[in-house]
Amino acid sequence: MKEETKVIYEKPIPLKNTYNAPYWDAADRHELNVQKCNTCSNYNHPPGPSCANCGSIDVFWENLGSTITGEVYTYIVSNRPFLPGFQNELPTVIAVVQLEEYPDIKIIGNVLHGNTETVSIGTKVKMVWIEATEERAIPQWVMV
Ligand SMILES: [Zn+2]
């Protein structure tokens, strides 16, 4: 008899909606899709119904692929599990990361295995995707 080990993901699973579905669909393929404005060329992240810069509803999605690198723009260290599922990963480093090839884009995520001695502003990171469920992969960061 085959023994299966199932890892239970206890953290909240982000919900897909009309405006962010292309982002999550790409994440599930371990790719980064970012919404872009066709009027002013602003990258709109997090995505929404219109451009955060000029208000245009003429937005589209640009696929930036699977090799996403950046550096920590700013961060906090959480020593308390504000939501269920994070209690075994403290302290948690939550960073705003500025993308290396697209410096206009900043994306928030956890820096996995990061701590106050290893992470600082300017720390180089790359995006990885954690398989939260069979249907949902969540972008996170690891130090390079
Ligand atoms: Zn715009």
Side-chain angles (χ1 to χ4, degrees), residues 23-24 26-34 45 63-71 95-100 102 105-112 123-130 137-144:
Y23 175 82
W24 290 114
D28 293 341
R29 299 188 308 269
H30 294 197
E31 297 173 353
L32 177 62
N33 254 0
V34 178
H45 188 83
N63 188 305
L64 305 186
S66 295
T67 304
I68 308 298
T69 57
E71 65 178 46
V96 175
V97 173
Q98 183 173 34
L99 301 193
E100 184 176 349
Y102 304 89
I105 304 172
K106 296 181 184 81
I107 297 178
I108 296 174
N110 293 352
V111 179
L112 303 179
T123 296
K124 304 286 187 195
V125 293
K126 72 174 183 180
M127 185 174 278
V128 295
W129 288 264
I130 303 302
I138 299 176
Q140 302 281 257
W141 300 101
V142 293
M143 290 174 281
V144 292

Side-chain angles (χ1 to χ4, degrees), residues 1-17:
M1 187 174 153
K2 186 180 173 189
E3 187 174 315
E4 292 187 20
T5 304
K6 184 170 183 166
V7 176
I8 297 172
Y9 189 83
E10 299 177 312
K11 299 171 196 163
I13 308 288
L15 296 176
K16 254 188 231 181
N17 64 36

Side-chain angles (χ1 to χ4, degrees), residues 36-44 50-59:
K36 190 171 185 180
C37 177
N38 214 13
T39 302
C40 74
S41 299
N42 177 60
Y43 285 105
N44 203 41
S50 62
C51 174
N53 184 52
C54 75
S56 171
I57 59 169
D58 187 8
V59 293

